[in-house]
């Protein structure tokens, strides 16, 4: 369960986080300026009224990642791409719609609801709008998998490429901080919840290299285990020095540590994607000595993933991307 | 590349296991009944295909979907002869609504619910010691999408055995919004019928054990069918309205993966929801791929008139029905189809009563909100 993702590279990254403009800003350990503009407000155009907050945040991060990779104007609804997939990760993305609707029905019967809300009752609504907005017709997957969900989503995107289903995947992790979410997670106001999104663009290494795309980082080994130490050991096996560890968990890995939730709040299903975006920025196109390690999970399961400097991803025969 | 279907389990309004469900389908028995779990006074549409397992009428409880998922997976594992230790076996679960019904009960009524149970991971860990779990909320095509993702794990040698499942309970928010959308409340699900009024939801779960071809059946020796391939794509067109062109693309992709031609398909399990949008798009895509009405049509059926739209479970429910049809030589009818729409001209549809046939290769369609299309091809074991 650890081999997964050799030969997949990161070609773009973007975020929608209040007080943080680019993935490099995720490395900033300073407190978030809560008075900073809401990134969701940068969207303009028709139809926003009926898109939930998670969808809007996801769209902002996705747009930034596609722009970072230089493909924002290349893949569009009028020039759709059958081999461009989407994987999103979110646990709480559509709780607002579901809770508000059940309250409306209780107070006003079904007649009080708006038909425009129907698509957002289905938890895949974020991935759906990302595909529509950018013309992405490949496999479209919404991972809702608890605390490991973000890294599980990155790993699933790698598998879609390795299996030959798609050649590129937009991966978005998003969680909204909303009253309905706070109610459902049982928060009394004392917990800081992350409100934002991160997006990365993944491609097969050889096709990215062949197309001359700038490669920011490589996706290394992924492991998921009941025990955090086991997951970390498996993910790091065969890896060189880990220079940055993005995690809250205690480990024996000797490296700089950056615990994103301590700065940005509990990021739940968005965390893994946020970590890979931060790792990509930290690697900075190969300036660092060592790789980065992302770890997320809870007492039931932990996922760990190595993010490598661009030049160090292995050239094995596993991917079927060119067949 | 083929994959061995080594175990099956299912639960729906029309039966608590695969045999009961298939018997109901063949005899044309529907699970449609008066609303049980919701306050009827809040809705115009007052009939659904619910599983009748609540403690009392009008009294709803959380975690019903989780219980059906557990039941279906346990049945599939037992059928395959595998124990209940899934610590090294990946589990891919497809769902539209996760445990959002429990969220509704918590939010509105204050019912106790732990958010860690939203995506089934805790139950899978506590009952089956599963670690490699992945819940994909891929709308109404979720379980066939999950099948595609699960077979990828086998094809890439990430695992030799996977459990693929689908599950959904009905949420009040979805039911209310569907009620709001239809001009007239649906009386029943009538796929491809001129008098269709829309879709009604159903409840249930389904699970299959799938293994690499070289590993063959599980310890029980049961080999239900070969899965020849599962295709997955996205319309990238509209959040709820399907698109015939990309449905046709997904169908051709499935044929390509499976190494079959349209003429090789003996049976098509249509998605058939009874909504004009789905049925017209699905009929147009099917007519295009199978060159209908010019060429000879495969036999086609649709089971949602009896199960309701079981959403995240519906793709696997149809697949299991296809496998049972191939094994028994009996294809369930499309109940409620009295006056077919023009779009299905030339389609050989199983109508009114079950049809005796000997299908060898079956195609299973499953489509969902967000333009999510999944199509699987299964072959009878020789």
């Amino acid at each position: 369960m650890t081999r997964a993702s050799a030969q997949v590279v990161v070609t773009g990254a973007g975020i929608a986080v209040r007080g943080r403009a680019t993935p490099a800003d995720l490395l900033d350990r300073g407190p978030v300026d809560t008075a900073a503009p809401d990134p969701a407000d940068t969207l303009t155009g028709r139809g926003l009224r009926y898109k939930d907050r998670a969808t809007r945040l996801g769209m902002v991060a996705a747009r930034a990642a596609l722009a970072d990779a230089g493909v924002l104007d290349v893949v569009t609804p009028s020039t759709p791409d059958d081999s461009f997939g989407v994987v999103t990760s979110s646990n709480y993305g559509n709780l607002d719609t579901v809770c508000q609707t059940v309250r409306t029905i209780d107070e006003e019967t079904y007649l009080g609801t708006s038909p425009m809300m129907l698509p957002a009752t289905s938890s895949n609504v974020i991935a759906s709008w990302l595909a529509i907005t950018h013309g992405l017709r490949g496999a479209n997957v919404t991972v809702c998998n608890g605390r490991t969900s973000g890294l599980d989503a990155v790993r699933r995107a790698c598998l879609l490429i390795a299996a030959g289903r798609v050649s590129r995947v937009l991966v978005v992790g998003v969680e909204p901080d909303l009253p309905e979410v706070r109610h459902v997670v049982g928060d009394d106001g004392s917990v800081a919840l992350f409100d934002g999104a991160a997006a990365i663009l993944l491609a097969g290494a050889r096709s990215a290299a062949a197309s001359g795309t700038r490669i920011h980082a490589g996706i290394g080994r992924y492991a998921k285990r009941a025990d955090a130490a086991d997951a970390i050991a498996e993910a790091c096996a065969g890896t060189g020095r880990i220079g940055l560890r993005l995690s809250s968990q205690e480990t024996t890995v000797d490296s700089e540590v950056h615990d994103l939730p301590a700065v940005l709040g509990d990021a739940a299903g968005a965390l893994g994607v946020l970590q890979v975006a931060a790792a990509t920025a930290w690697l900075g196109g190969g300036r660092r000595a060592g790789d980065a390690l992302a770890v997320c999970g809870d007492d039931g399961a932990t996922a760990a993933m190595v993010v490598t400097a661009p030049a160090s991803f292995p050239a094995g025969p596993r991917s079927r991307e060119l067949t | 590349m083929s994959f061995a279907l080594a175990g099956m389990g299912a639960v729906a309004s029309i039966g608590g296991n695969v045999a009961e469900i298939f018997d109901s389908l063949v005899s044309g028995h529907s699970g449609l009944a008066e609303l049980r779990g919701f306050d009827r006074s809040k809705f115009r549409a007052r009939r659904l295909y619910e599983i009748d397992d609540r403690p009392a009428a009008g009294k709803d409880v959380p975690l019903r979907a989780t219980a059906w998922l557990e039941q279906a997976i346990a049945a599939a594992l037992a059928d395959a002869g595998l124990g209940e230790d899934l610590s090294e076996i990946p589990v891919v679960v497809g769902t539209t609504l996760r445990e959002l019904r429990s969220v509704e009960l918590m939010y509105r009524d204050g019912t106790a619910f732990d958010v860690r149970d939203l995506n089934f991971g805790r139950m899978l860990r506590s009952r089956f010691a599963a670690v490699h779990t992945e819940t994909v909320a891929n709308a109404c095509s979720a379980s066939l999408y999950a099948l595609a993702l699960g077979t990828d794990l086998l094809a890439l040698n990430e695992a030799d055995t996977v459990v693929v499942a689908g599950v959904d309970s009905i949420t009040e928010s979805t039911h209310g919004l569907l009620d709001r959308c239809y001009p007239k409340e649906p009386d029943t699900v009538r796929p491809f019928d001129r008098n269709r009024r829309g879709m009604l939801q159903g409840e249930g779960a389904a699970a299959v054990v799938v293994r690499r071809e070289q590993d063959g059946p599980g310890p029980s020796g049961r080999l239900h069918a070969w899965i020849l391939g599962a295709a997955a794509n996205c319309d990238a067109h509209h959040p709820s309205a399907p698109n015939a062109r990309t449905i046709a693309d997904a169908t051709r992709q499935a044929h390509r993966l499976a190494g079959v031609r349209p003429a090789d398909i003996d049976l098509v399990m249509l998605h058939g929801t009874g909504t004009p949008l789905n049925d017209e798009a699905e009929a147009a895509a099917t007519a295009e791929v199978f060159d209908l009405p010019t060429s000879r049509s495969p036999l086609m059926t649709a089971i949602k008139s009896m199960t309701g739209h079981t959403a995240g479970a519906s793709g696997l429910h149809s697949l299991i029905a296809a496998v049972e049809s191939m094994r028994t030589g009996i294809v369930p009818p499309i109940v409620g189809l009295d006056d077919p729409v023009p779009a299905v001209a030339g389609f050989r549809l199983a109508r009114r009563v079950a049809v005796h046939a000997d299908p060898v290769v079956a195609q299973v369609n499953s489509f969902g909100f967000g333009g999510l299309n999944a199509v699987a091809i299964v072959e009878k074991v020789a």
Side-chain angles (χ1 to χ4, degrees):
Chain A
M1 202 57 58
T2 60
R3 293 160 292 187
S5 49
Q7 294 226 304
V8 172
V9 297
V10 182
T11 61
I15 59 170
V17 180
R18 195 185 290 268
R20 299 285 191 269
T22 69
D25 296 337
L26 295 175
L27 303 169
D28 179 352
R29 292 163 199 262
V32 174
D33 176 9
T34 51
D38 181 353
D41 289 343
T42 63
L43 287 179
T44 54
R46 294 173 60 229
L48 286 175
R49 186 177 162 202
Y50 295 108
K51 291 189 179 76
D52 61 25
R53 177 158 183 82
T55 298
R56 284 184 277 136
L57 289 167
M59 287 173 67
V60 171
R63 186 179 60 187
L66 293 169
D68 185 42
V71 299
L72 186 57
D73 301 323
V74 179
V75 185
T76 68
S78 54
T79 54
D81 189 334
D82 292 345
S83 67
F84 204 139
V86 176
V87 179
T88 62
S89 172
S90 184
N91 291 325
Y92 311 136
N94 68 335
L95 295 189
D96 51 341
T97 300
V98 170
C99 292
Q100 288 162 16
T101 303
V102 80
R103 177 65 49 83
T104 301
I105 291 169
D106 192 43
E107 291 169 355
E108 306 171 40
T109 81
Y110 79 102
L111 289 167
T113 63
S114 161
M116 297 300 285
M117 303 295 276
L118 180 60
T121 61
S122 188
S123 301
N124 68 315
V125 67
I126 307 162
S128 161
W129 279 118
L130 292 172
I132 293 165
T133 304
H134 299 289
L136 312 180
R137 283 192 182 157
N140 185 290
V141 179
T142 294
V143 180
C144 298
N145 216 31
R147 301 245 155 229
T148 61
S149 197
L151 288 182
D152 296 341
V154 176
R155 188 261 192 153
R156 176 49 70 184
C158 293
L159 293 173
L160 290 175
I161 292 170
R165 289 192 184 273
V166 292
S167 57
R168 286 180 285 188
V169 185
L170 174 65
V171 186
V172 175
V174 55
E175 296 291 6
D177 179 2
L178 295 166
E180 294 82 3
V181 174
R182 287 196 174 263
H183 183 106
V184 173
V185 302
D187 172 57
D188 57 4
S190 61
V191 179
L193 293 186
F194 175 70
D195 178 64
I200 55 172
L201 185 56
L202 299 180
R206 276 179 287 175
S207 62
S211 67
T213 307
R214 191 160 65 95
I215 294 170
H216 297 270
I219 301 296
R221 291 166 70 103
Y222 160 96
K224 189 167 168 182
R225 287 284 156 197
D227 183 75
D230 292 346
I232 291 167
E234 279 191 39
C236 292
T239 303
R241 181 172 172 269
I242 298 294
L244 175 68
R245 181 159 55 84
L246 294 141
S247 78
S248 311
Q249 285 85 350
E250 292 295 319
T251 75
T252 55
V253 177
D254 177 27
S255 68
E256 183 187 343
V257 177
H258 186 31
D259 182 12
L260 284 165
V263 181
L264 299 174
D266 180 354
L271 181 58
V273 187
L274 200 62
Q275 289 171 328
V276 175
T280 299
W282 181 82
L283 288 160
R287 293 196 303 273
R288 302 280 181 169
D291 297 332
L293 173 69
V295 184
C296 56
D298 55 22
D299 53 6
T302 296
M305 177 176 274
V306 171
V307 185
T308 68
S312 65
F313 55 83
R318 284 185 46 77
S319 173
R320 288 194 275 154
E321 55 167 305
L322 295 182
T323 61
Chain B
M1 193 179 293
S2 304
F3 307 97
L5 179 52
M8 305 193 295
V11 54
S13 59
I14 55 170
N17 56 53
V18 169
E20 283 179 16
I21 291 170
F22 192 68
D23 284 351
S24 290
L25 291 174
V26 166
S27 61
H29 170 63
S30 162
L32 189 62
E34 293 295 314
L35 266 187
R36 294 187 177 104
F38 309 154
D39 177 350
R40 288 178 199 173
S41 70
K42 309 287 188 193
F43 304 96
R44 176 186 52 166
R46 294 178 183 174
R47 283 146 69 85
L48 281 176
Y49 300 80
E50 292 166 276
I51 291 178
D52 188 11
D53 63 354
R54 293 184 177 90
K59 183 169 171 49
D60 207 355
V61 292
L63 299 178
R64 292 167 68 243
T66 299
W68 307 328
L69 178 65
E70 182 177 351
Q71 181 184 336
I73 290 176
L77 291 173
D79 187 37
L82 292 170
E84 295 202 343
D85 178 2
L86 294 178
S87 55
E88 296 296 330
I89 295 178
V91 184
V92 188
V93 177
T95 179
T96 301
L97 300 170
R98 308 184 278 156
E99 271 295 352
L100 289 172
R101 176 56 183 160
S102 298
V103 168
E104 291 181 344
L105 293 171
M106 178 201 195
Y107 188 77
R108 191 193 59 195
D109 303 339
T111 304
F113 171 67
D114 188 323
V115 74
R116 289 177 294 175
D117 290 320
L118 184 56
N119 305 310
F120 313 114
R122 273 213 316 172
M123 177 279 287
L124 295 171
R125 276 197 284 280
S126 62
R127 168 75 189 259
F128 303 106
V131 176
H132 308 287
T133 68
E134 184 179 11
T135 295
V136 291
N138 261 36
C140 296
S141 62
S143 54
L144 280 200
Y145 240 96
L147 183 68
L149 304 182
T151 54
D152 281 354
L153 293 172
L154 301 177
L156 293 167
N157 292 314
E158 292 285 323
D160 55 26
T161 304
V162 295
V163 173
V164 176
V167 64
D168 264 309
S169 58
I170 302 169
T171 61
E172 218 170 307
S173 50
T174 307
H175 177 63
L177 281 163
L178 285 167
D179 201 2
R180 181 79 178 75
C181 286
Y182 297 131
K184 201 172 175 190
E185 78 276 21
D187 52 344
T188 183
V189 174
R190 301 177 188 276
F192 308 103
D193 190 90
R194 285 177 199 263
N195 295 312
R196 67 195 161 191
R197 292 195 207 159
M199 176 266 276
L200 292 170
Q201 296 171 89
E203 296 185 318
V208 292
V209 174
V210 188
R211 291 163 61 88
R212 292 186 303 191
E213 184 176 8
Q214 64 264 36
D215 298 309
S220 72
R222 212 152 285 144
L223 179 59
H224 290 288
W226 295 107
I227 294 167
L228 303 185
N233 75 352
C234 177
D235 293 345
H237 168 67
H238 189 277
S240 56
N243 183 11
R245 206 204 108 169
T246 8
I247 290 174
D249 288 346
T251 310
R252 292 195 190 95
Q253 193 188 109
H255 292 176
R256 216 163 36 240
L257 284 172
V260 301
R261 296 160 302 163
D264 297 326
I265 305 289
D266 303 306
L267 173 66
V268 178
M269 304 299 296
L270 295 160
H271 186 59
T273 62
T275 66
L277 281 172
N278 172 82
D279 290 0
E280 294 297 313
E282 182 173 26
T286 304
E288 184 191 322
V289 171
F290 289 93
D291 188 28
L292 301 176
T294 310
S295 297
R296 179 180 158 75
S297 168
L299 185 58
M300 303 190 200
T301 191
I303 64 171
K304 290 184 181 62
S305 49
M306 291 173 278
T307 60
H309 193 341
T310 54
S314 69
L316 279 184
H317 277 151
S318 290
L319 184 142
I320 288 171
V323 169
E324 288 299 280
S325 290
M326 291 193 292
R327 183 177 66 79
T328 60
I330 305 171
V331 176
I334 308 177
V335 171
L337 175 54
D338 300 321
D339 189 2
V341 293
V344 295
F347 287 29
R348 199 153 56 93
L349 297 163
R351 291 172 55 188
R352 297 193 181 93
V353 294
V355 174
H356 289 265
D358 187 20
V360 175
V361 180
Q363 172 186 319
V364 186
N365 290 355
S366 193
F367 314 125
F369 269 15
L372 300 184
N373 307 312
V375 179
I377 308 294
V378 289
E379 183 180 40
K380 184 179 177 176
V381 175

